[in-house]
Amino acid sequence: MFSKSGLLVLALIAAAPLRAQDEPVKPTDPESPYDNVQVLARAMQLIRQDYVDEKKISYRDLTYSALRGMLADLDPHSQFMEPRDFKGMQEDTRSEFGGLGVVVTMEDGALTIVNPMEDTPGFAAGLKPGDRILRINGTSTENLELPKAVDKLRGDVGEKVTLTIQRPSTKEIKDYELTRVIIKVKSVKDARILPPAEDGGLKIGYVRITQFNEPTAGELAKALEKLEKEGMQALVLDLRYNPGGLLSSAVDVSGLFLPQGTRAVSTEGRTPGREYRTGARWGKPRSYPVAVLVNYASASGSEVVAGALKDLNRAIIVGETTFGKGSVQSVVALPDGSALRLTTAKYFTPGRQVIHEVGVTPNIRATLSQQQEFALLESRRDAAMGGGPVSPEDDPQLARAVDVLRGTLIFAERQQSRGDRAAGKGS
């Protein structure tokens, strides 16, 4: 049954006359770009001629709207970027941009925080993975497209932004007032030797990568050299909550642990596939055992590194199955300063395992309860504000990775001792 208002709308639509020139004309060729562009051009002409609000119908506005819809309909990762968005993306990859420091996604139609980036206003305020952003400065985020949401979160440095947050675990709704700052992302953090094990004082190193940017491989190389000088015997490489970044950076990081010329990842799409191999820029022979920590928020570049080191038996993967974002987005600049971010291929690990929508499964599964996860993030926040570093006792996944490496080192030592004894008997 129609409401009165519904009948009124139908009546008004029915009363609108159909112009003769607007008679539907079937394109002679559905695949013809000329025929279909004619349809788009005619639609834009009619909108500019008759739409009630003149402020919304500039050719640029209509073109950008068409491009946004065109790209959004392809898949969740393809995107049209206006000039300001494109500039912001370029700033991201250079590790410096303005904002609040929260990585967001759309989950079940809700704007959801994947991870608050460390050393940022969002992290300092205590925002957590899974928090839902209901409103930004009082404006509802319902039905808000992800690129538009990101645009609202960014803005002028020094400007205050109020986020209305719902925490699903408690159903609590709370306002957080944050101030935008220049976000300088230090991608390599917490490089140190972990507290020595009681059983022999083994030196196990730890280093964490927050995302993959232009400087990441160089920063990691310096951190490894420092730990190696301190006598590091094994390494925990922490990629949890790492959303990815530059593919070239992920390949370079893989190259710190693999021989030069090793295929770290390959891509396949409609164009001929491509292989990405490790180079010699940051590499040197490294044979000590490595454990890679991953979780549900390890995505893209993190999955490339974890997949390469797992398939090539260079590392033991510990934690949870990764996010499963294994598609390649090529960014193509357009003449007016805007750009297309277009999905053009999918990633495959060296063992031909697809990453997209599957993720990288760990060799050893280790999980955190939500309470343990929140405690870990609180410990990291305290550490960033001057407290001590997070220890394995406060991080069950890290403790599991350390146990694995201890076992590997002890086994290797015993094998070496047996070999030495056998060589002595034979001499």
Side-chain angles (χ1 to χ4, degrees):
M1 180 177 293
F2 293 107
S3 66
K4 291 181 179 180
S5 60
L7 289 173
L8 177 61
V9 170
L10 291 176
L12 288 173
I13 292 173
L18 182 68
R19 301 185 182 93
Q21 66 267 32
D22 296 336
E23 292 287 348
V25 177
K26 185 177 180 180
T28 56
D29 181 0
E31 296 301 318
S32 165
Y34 176 76
D35 288 348
N36 288 283
V37 167
Q38 273 192 313
V39 173
L40 179 62
R42 180 57 179 152
M44 292 176 68
Q45 181 185 15
L46 289 172
I47 292 169
R48 284 181 55 79
Q49 176 179 297
D50 294 333
Y51 184 68
V52 64
D53 190 345
E54 292 185 36
K55 296 179 181 179
K56 296 182 178 181
I57 58 173
S58 73
Y59 275 119
R60 168 166 284 193
D61 288 342
L62 295 178
T63 300
Y64 280 9
S65 293
L67 286 168
R68 275 193 293 271
M70 194 184 306
L71 273 292
D73 276 353
L74 296 177
D75 65 74
H77 306 295
S78 292
Q79 175 192 357
F80 169 70
M81 292 180 284
E82 295 186 21
R84 181 173 59 178
D85 300 327
F86 183 34
K87 183 179 179 181
M89 186 215 72
Q90 292 173 311
E91 291 172 348
D92 286 358
T93 62
R94 288 193 292 268
S95 303
E96 184 173 315
F97 57 94
L100 303 175
V102 288
V103 179
V104 294
T105 189
M106 298 303 296
E107 186 174 291
D108 299 327
L111 184 63
T112 304
I113 295 176
V114 176
N115 178 36
M117 299 166 63
E118 293 185 50
D119 306 324
T120 68
F123 187 80
L127 299 180
K128 298 288 191 295
D131 283 353
R132 297 191 168 189
I133 303 176
L134 303 183
R135 291 185 290 277
I136 302 173
N137 287 334
T139 302
S140 173
T141 60
E142 188 176 3
N143 300 322
L144 186 65
E145 295 177 354
L146 185 58
K148 287 293 185 184
V150 171
D151 191 50
K152 286 181 175 292
L153 293 172
R154 292 183 174 178
D156 295 334
V157 173
E159 190 174 62
K160 294 186 182 300
V161 181
T162 300
L163 303 183
T164 303
I165 299 292
Q166 181 188 51
R167 186 154 294 163
S169 59
T170 63
K171 305 300 182 184
E172 177 188 14
I173 296 178
K174 181 180 177 181
D175 283 345
Y176 291 80
E177 186 179 77
L178 310 176
T179 302
R180 293 193 185 100
V181 298
I182 292 293
I183 306 295
K184 295 183 178 180
V185 181
K186 190 174 187 296
S187 60
V188 177
K189 297 177 69 74
D190 294 350
R192 66 188 192 276
I193 299 293
L194 295 171
E198 294 179 3
D199 48 359
L202 300 173
K203 291 190 175 182
I204 296 176
Y206 173 87
V207 67
R208 185 154 51 92
I209 301 178
T210 61
Q211 63 187 68
F212 293 94
N213 298 318
E214 290 175 2
T216 301
E219 291 178 5
L220 180 59
K222 291 179 182 178
L224 293 178
E225 288 172 4
K226 171 181 173 291
L227 296 177
E228 289 160 359
K229 289 178 181 177
E230 295 175 14
M232 179 173 65
Q233 297 169 275
L235 173 70
V236 177
L237 181 65
D238 193 345
L239 300 181
R240 291 174 297 176
Y241 305 106
N242 183 323
L246 296 176
L247 175 60
S248 58
S249 175
V251 173
D252 285 343
V253 166
S254 300
L256 291 171
F257 305 99
L258 297 170
Q260 180 182 353
T262 302
R263 184 181 68 192
V265 68
S266 60
T267 61
E268 290 186 12
R270 293 176 63 186
T271 57
R274 181 176 176 183
E275 294 183 346
Y276 294 83
R277 295 183 177 271
T278 57
R281 184 180 180 189
W282 307 112
K284 73 173 188 179
R286 290 183 171 90
S287 58
Y288 45 75
V290 177
V292 178
L293 275 175
V294 295
N295 69 354
Y296 66 89
S298 304
S300 190
S302 300
E303 297 173 290
V304 168
V305 174
L309 299 186
K310 178 187 178 184
D311 282 7
L312 297 169
N313 298 314
R314 182 60 188 89
I316 299 171
I317 312 302
V318 180
E320 305 161 1
T321 299
T322 60
F323 186 83
K325 198 283 180 184
S327 56
V328 181
Q329 279 70 50
S330 299
V331 177
V332 183
L334 297 177
D336 68 341
S338 62
L340 303 182
R341 186 204 300 266
L342 185 64
T343 300
T344 54
K346 291 182 179 179
Y347 293 129
F348 288 83
T349 68
R352 296 289 303 149
Q353 300 298 311
V354 67
I355 294 174
H356 195 57
E357 298 181 348
V358 176
V360 176
T361 56
N363 300 108
I364 297 175
R365 182 169 174 77
T367 61
L368 296 178
S369 67
Q370 187 176 71
Q371 184 177 3
Q372 289 172 324
E373 181 181 19
F374 285 0
L376 170 62
L377 293 175
E378 285 297 326
S379 297
R380 287 185 176 179
R381 186 166 67 136
D382 292 343
M385 299 177 71
V390 180
S391 69
E393 288 76 16
D394 301 321
D395 185 347
Q397 287 177 321
L398 174 56
R400 188 71 181 96
V402 169
D403 286 342
V404 170
L405 291 176
R406 285 176 183 165
T408 301
L409 289 172
I410 291 170
F411 178 76
E413 287 178 0
R414 289 176 179 172
Q415 290 293 96
Q416 181 67 40
S417 297
R418 288 174 185 170
D420 291 342
R421 287 197 299 269
K425 288 178 181 180
S427 60

